[in-house]
Structure formats: structure tokens, C-alpha cells
Amino acid sequence: MIFLKNSVIRKTMFAPIIILILSLLTAPGWADEIAEATKEIVNKWQDAVVTTKIVIKMHEVERKTEAMATIIDPSGLAILSLSLVDPSSLRSDADAGAGAEITDIKMVMPDNNEVPAEIVMRDRDLDLIFIRPTEKLNEPMVALDLTQNIELDVMDQIVILSHLGSVAGYAPSVSLWRINAVVKKPRTLYVPEFMAILNGLGVPAFTLDGKIVGILLLRISKSLSAGGGSFFGGLGGSGILPVILPAEEIIEVISKIPELNK
């Protein structure tokens, strides 16, 4: 009887060790699969993310800035985050009168040539701005097919594709995150880990198998400029929350805007 008890104790003691050894043996293989899947996304879609150089005039002062844009049509139609392009969009409706004037936009092509662009449409509620080249391109651009999308759930893993700035030669940059929450009303939004915002805004998110999830943007509380919100209120308590607007929602926006269907 004592022997049986000792045997059970030994097995119980060694079980966690065996599980740990097995996990260490299998982890590198799983990590390699993730790395290969991520590299495939970079190789296939890196040219669909471009840098834009923007000149903004506000209060009679001009300043230059750079922002990421995601190409959604071979003609060069692209999406940016409005909050990066127009800082006045961060303020409440009552303060929106003194908006920023965008005096110049250029898209930096994959070959580093700069192409003049124009604004097609803004959507302040969704933090969206659509731009496209002012002249027809010689060759079609690599563009995301928003119809090849997928729905996500909490804790699903995503890949966010971006580019570094001019200081790093606009090299592609990629990182892995998880979905922290799914907002259903008034429209579906995916909330990634907060630090995903470090990738920049206006960049695409994918699943590991390469399906398009949507575009990383900001969700901004209307009470922000009135002093509402606090970082101590938890995720999103500050009044600003990084969200991924699903590709399906973007398709719906495009279908309702005549200028985007020309």
C-alpha cells in the first residue's frame, strides 16, 4: 500500500516536469510556423503600405508630417487615419471650426518616387481619410482585397504590417498582437492590445493565414476636449482607443460614397 502511494506521488511530481519538457520541445516549431506566416504576409503585402508626406496649415503656420497609408485599390486609392492628418479631428464638434488645412500630399511609392495625391473623402466619426494620386499611374499598385476578410473573436492573434520612417529608409515593420475586445454597437470594431498603436495608424491587420482583418485607427470620445476621460479608467478610459475598423465596414463606407466609386 505504501509502495502504491509512493508510486502515485512520484508520478504526480514528475508530471509537470514532463509537460514542461514537451512544451519546450514543441515551442520552437510553433514559433517557426508563426515566423514563416508573418514573413509571407510581409513579402506579399509590404508594397500595399506606403508613407505619405503631408503639409498641414493650421493657425497660419505650416508644418510637415508623415503618415502611413494602406492601398485598397490598384489605382492608388488609399486609407489614412484622419487624426494623424488633421489634429483638429481630436477635438469635439464644438471646437472643430478651426480645422487644419492640408495644402500638399505626396505618396512615397515602393520605388521611393513621390506622387502627388488629393483628398477624396473624410469621415471624422470613423477616423478615416481617403486619398488617391492626382494622375493615373503607369502601373497598378499592390492593393489589399478588402473582400478577402475574416471575423475575429477575443484573444485571436493578428499581424500588423507597417513601415518605419525615413530615418530607417521606410523599411517594412511587422508585429504580433491579440484582440482584447470586440465592440458590436453601433458598428463592429476590434480592440487590439493598446501598445499596438506603436505600429502607427492607417496600417492593415491580418490573421496569421493572411486574411485581411481591417485598418488600425483611433476611436475618439466626443467628450475628450472637455476634459473627460482618464488613464486610470482602464483601457479606453482616456477617451482615445486604438481600434481596428473591419474591412467589411470599410467596404460599406466606400459603397455609399460616389467619389470613391469613380
Side-chain angles (χ1 to χ4, degrees):
M1 191 64 140
I2 295 174
F3 172 78
L4 288 175
K5 287 183 178 179
N6 289 340
S7 177
V8 171
I9 291 172
R10 289 193 191 95
K11 289 180 179 179
T12 305
M13 290 175 62
F14 280 110
I17 298 174
I18 293 171
I19 292 172
L20 177 61
I21 292 173
L22 289 174
S23 65
L24 290 174
L25 290 174
T26 57
W30 173 238
D32 286 347
E33 288 181 15
I34 292 178
E36 289 304 314
T38 303
K39 289 177 184 176
E40 186 173 338
I41 291 171
V42 174
N43 292 336
K44 185 175 182 179
W45 297 115
Q46 60 180 310
D47 287 349
V49 182
V50 300
T51 299
T52 58
K53 294 184 176 181
I54 304 166
V55 179
I56 302 172
K57 185 177 181 180
M58 194 169 184
H59 303 301
E60 302 303 320
V61 177
E62 282 193 342
R63 70 179 182 89
K64 297 179 180 179
T65 187
E66 292 185 353
M68 292 293 102
T70 299
I71 308 299
I72 59 171
D73 186 86
S75 66
L77 180 66
I79 293 176
L80 294 86
S81 166
L82 179 60
S83 56
L84 288 183
V85 177
D86 182 358
S88 69
S89 67
L90 292 170
R91 298 186 290 176
S92 70
D93 292 338
D95 298 325
E101 178 188 356
I102 300 170
T103 60
D104 188 63
I105 303 179
K106 288 186 174 63
M107 301 171 69
V108 182
M109 299 290 106
D111 59 4
N112 287 331
N113 283 329
E114 297 182 6
V115 174
E118 62 184 353
I119 297 172
V120 180
M121 193 273 290
R122 308 185 196 204
D123 189 317
R124 195 160 178 261
D125 291 335
L126 295 178
D127 189 34
L128 284 175
I129 181 168
F130 293 85
I131 66 170
R132 63 182 166 203
T134 55
E135 297 181 3
K136 186 175 180 180
L137 302 175
N138 294 328
E139 296 181 359
M141 296 191 67
V142 175
L144 298 185
D145 182 357
L146 297 179
T147 63
Q148 299 298 309
N149 59 63
I150 191 170
E151 293 185 6
L152 295 187
D153 204 346
V154 174
M155 292 309 293
D156 282 348
Q157 197 164 29
I158 57 171
V159 177
I160 292 182
L161 176 60
S162 184
H163 278 263
L164 301 177
S166 56
V167 68
Y170 305 111
S173 173
V174 69
S175 57
L176 295 168
W177 305 94
R178 290 191 182 274
I179 298 299
N180 278 344
V182 178
V183 178
K184 293 295 186 180
K185 295 180 179 180
R187 58 177 51 84
T188 301
L189 297 170
Y190 300 122
V191 183
E193 296 172 74
F194 193 85
M195 297 306 288
I197 199 172
L198 295 178
N199 295 273
L201 299 172
V203 294
F206 302 86
T207 57
L208 285 172
D209 60 358
K211 294 286 186 181
I212 177 67
V213 176
I215 305 296
L216 183 62
L217 302 165
L218 284 185
R219 185 69 173 167
I220 304 166
S221 171
K222 292 182 179 179
S223 63
L224 181 63
S225 64
S230 166
F231 281 107
F232 296 105
L235 188 62
S238 64
I240 298 179
L241 187 68
V243 297
I244 296 171
L245 183 64
E248 191 172 357
E249 295 284 347
I250 297 172
I251 291 173
E252 185 176 348
V253 172
I254 293 173
S255 67
K256 295 178 180 179
I257 307 299
E259 290 83 357
L260 297 181
N261 294 301
K262 291 180 180 179

